[in-house]
Amino acid sequence: MNQTTKPWIDLRSDTVTLPGPAMRAAMHGAGVGDDVYGDDPSVNRLQDYAAELFGYEAALFAPSGTQTNLIALLVHCARGDEYLVGQEAHTYKYEGGGAAVLGSIQPQPIANQPDGSIALADIAAYIKPDDMHFARSRLLALENTIGGRVLGAEYMAAATSLAHARGLATHLDGARICNAAVKQGISLRAATAGFDTVSVCLSKGLGAPVGSLLCGPRAFIEQGKRWRKMLGGGMRQAGLLAAAGQHALEHNVERLADDHANAAALAQGLAQIAQIKVATPQTNIFYVDVPEAAVDALRAALTQADIKATVGKHTRLVTHLGVTAADVEHVVAVFTAFFKDWQAAT
Ligand SMILES: *Cc1c(COP(=O)(O)O)cnc(C)c1O
């Protein structure tokens, strides 16, 4: 079987991207060493490159974004501290409660606004005064993009200034910060401005098979290295993976604009179908409301057409470097045909 071609169109997530021939060649040629000893030249190169690219003193390569976020929370917050975070945020909702389980860190979840932001007034109101009855408010954690929505640079500046003025540190879950930067036409440094630390996923739309980076001040990253080891994230000849990440950062950032264009085209095509309600994508992720009665049959029709998607009442569709403009046309055609028949049958 060809290792880089796909047997289906996969719209479930941008985590499904496969390394192409150029990335595989970079991995094949990577110099390696034992990274726990700091000896892996490819890991060291990637960490230095990322620190420079995102505008931080240092960076740390780890197996996953869940781990880089957890390391950040563990360094920012001690036992009995709390972090302010959106109800919809990955660090709160989708990381198994790791900060509470492993760090005795209390989350203070706050409702996200429809645009994905947390209202500045809510941030201000939830920061607790220094009082023995309360957990110590220590950190504001934001996410960009969140559910495919972009938090603009102006909002980020206001939110991080507010947090800093009240004595809180700031962490950005930037799993898809490159999508946010490309969408806004700003540099990666501008997109992370105001945040003391940022976590970046290499294994989403950037197309690397494995890995995330935590960027921050040098002393912070040194502490993070201890936590990474404790969490089992100290990897040995990890340069094979770092080389893929290096290739991803050097070659796959600007092309995210193609994924955004494909998402827009897909949404436009689907918006012609009367029975479904299609949100306008800002980046590569968007949602389609499907009538409940059509969900099971739609899922079956897509599977029949070799299209993978997370089908439900609130269907999530994600474009990425494994989805072409031709794929988009095919998906629109399959949806259109399905709803034509479904209309006729109901
Ligand atoms: C994917 C993702 C992460 C990290 O996920 P891993 O699968 O652990 O790498 C963190 N935050 C957001 C918003 C994500 O989408």
Side-chain angles (χ1 to χ4, degrees):
M1 193 186 117
N2 185 316
Q3 294 165 309
T4 56
T5 55
K6 43 177 189 142
W8 48 65
I9 299 170
D10 199 336
L11 303 171
R12 289 173 301 173
S13 176
D14 46 11
T15 57
V16 302
T17 45
L18 302 177
M23 184 177 281
R24 284 167 185 265
M27 296 171 76
H28 188 262
V32 294
D34 189 330
D35 181 51
V36 172
Y37 288 103
D39 285 352
D40 192 297
S42 301
V43 172
N44 291 337
R45 177 170 172 235
L46 173 65
Q47 291 177 161
D48 291 346
Y49 182 83
E52 172 72 20
L53 187 65
F54 292 97
Y56 291 85
E57 277 177 13
L60 188 65
F61 184 55
S64 72
T66 298
Q67 188 169 105
T68 44
N69 278 329
L70 179 58
I71 291 168
L73 292 168
L74 289 167
V75 177
H76 279 298
C77 300
R79 185 180 179 206
D81 289 350
E82 72 170 13
Y83 67 112
L84 277 60
V85 63
Q87 285 279 5
E88 300 171 26
H90 202 279
T91 50
Y92 173 60
K93 200 174 170 185
Y94 298 106
E95 295 180 6
V101 173
L102 299 166
S104 299
I105 302 162
Q106 164 169 292
Q108 170 58 72
I110 306 175
N112 288 94
Q113 298 299 308
D115 69 357
S117 70
I118 303 174
L120 297 179
D122 286 345
I123 295 172
Y126 277 104
I127 297 173
K128 296 170 182 59
D130 184 2
D131 177 319
M132 69 164 93
H133 293 88
F134 301 136
R136 286 176 297 260
S137 301
R138 183 70 195 94
L139 176 73
L140 172 66
L142 295 175
E143 181 176 319
N144 205 11
T145 62
I146 177 161
R149 295 159 297 186
V150 176
L151 302 185
E154 216 170 289
Y155 166 78
M156 292 305 226
T160 54
S161 301
L162 167 61
H164 287 147
R166 297 283 298 270
L168 273 65
T170 53
H171 173 69
L172 175 62
D173 178 356
R176 297 188 180 82
I177 192 59
C178 298
N179 293 85
V182 165
K183 174 66 183 186
Q184 295 175 91
I186 62 176
S187 69
L188 296 172
R189 283 177 168 235
T192 55
F195 288 91
D196 300 311
T197 54
V198 59
S199 160
V200 180
C201 284
L202 301 167
S203 59
K204 303 269 166 83
L206 296 181
V210 173
S212 286
L213 289 156
L214 176 62
C215 305
R218 193 167 302 283
F220 187 101
I221 295 301
E222 280 307 314
Q223 288 184 67
K225 217 179 273 181
R226 287 187 71 85
W227 282 115
R228 185 185 67 174
K229 191 76 187 77
M230 206 186 300
L231 296 171
M235 298 185 287
R236 302 298 179 172
Q237 285 72 37
L240 294 172
L241 298 173
Q246 182 82 36
H247 181 89
L249 285 177
E250 287 178 2
H251 300 280
N252 290 348
V253 174
E254 291 309 320
R255 66 150 306 286
L256 292 171
D258 300 344
D259 300 341
H260 302 167
N262 281 334
L266 179 55
Q268 262 166 29
L270 296 180
Q272 308 308 312
I273 301 169
Q275 297 100 321
I276 58 178
K277 188 163 174 286
V278 183
T280 304
Q282 295 181 23
T283 56
N284 68 323
I285 301 176
F286 67 102
Y287 292 84
V288 178
D289 289 336
V290 174
E292 197 164 4
V295 165
D296 289 342
L298 175 62
R299 189 183 296 119
L302 294 182
T303 303
Q304 184 70 29
D306 289 329
I307 298 165
K308 294 195 180 216
T310 314
V311 180
K313 269 167 55 180
H314 209 46
T315 292
R316 186 176 91 148
L317 298 176
V318 185
T319 57
H320 50 76
L321 58 73
V323 177
T324 64
D327 291 339
V328 165
E329 281 183 32
H330 179 63
V331 172
V332 170
V334 170
F335 265 81
T336 304
F338 170 81
F339 279 102
K340 210 166 147 232
D341 289 350
W342 190 70
Q343 178 84 312
T346 51

